[in-house]
Amino acid sequence: MEHRNSVLIVEDDVNINGLLKEALEKEGYICTQAFSGTEARMILQGERYSVILLDLMLPGIPGEEVLRDIRKKGNTPVIILTAKDTIDDKVEFLRGGADDYVGHECIMVLNCNDEDAHVEIDVYFADREPVLGLPLT
């Protein structure tokens, strides 16, 4: 069952995962956390989400394999969370089924105490409302 405004955060870094959850919940999103590919796969067997934030370098099942599993089941928007930043990497994410990607450097803005620091991630899909408008401040 899918809950509107539900987000699955699949990130093995406890700090990043926690920061994303905190920021999203402040904006009214319902969040579920997974810290490995294996855990994500188990969670996805019983639940559907509005959007999935997916790290690729995960313990257990790699993120690329989790992404393939997600794509076999449907078209849930998937945003890759990654430290990889080459053009080839980014092309590979999108060809592999990701809808978008965010570098870890963007996520780290959450740690910034500067009140003027602000990052916003909006994911748009043709003929749909934004799936995720996330102010990271």
Side-chain angles (χ1 to χ4, degrees), residues 89-133:
D89 290 330
K90 293 171 184 178
V91 169
E92 184 180 330
F93 305 151
L94 298 173
R95 284 188 177 158
D99 295 285
D100 207 345
Y101 59 89
V102 176
H104 279 164
E105 69 280 357
C106 293
I107 297 164
M108 291 304 155
V109 172
L110 286 168
N111 286 321
C112 183
N113 290 326
D114 181 359
E115 291 179 25
D116 296 328
H118 179 80
V119 174
E120 185 161 314
I121 303 164
D122 287 313
V123 181
Y124 290 91
F125 296 90
D127 67 285
R128 291 209 306 192
E129 290 294 314
V131 174
L132 178 65

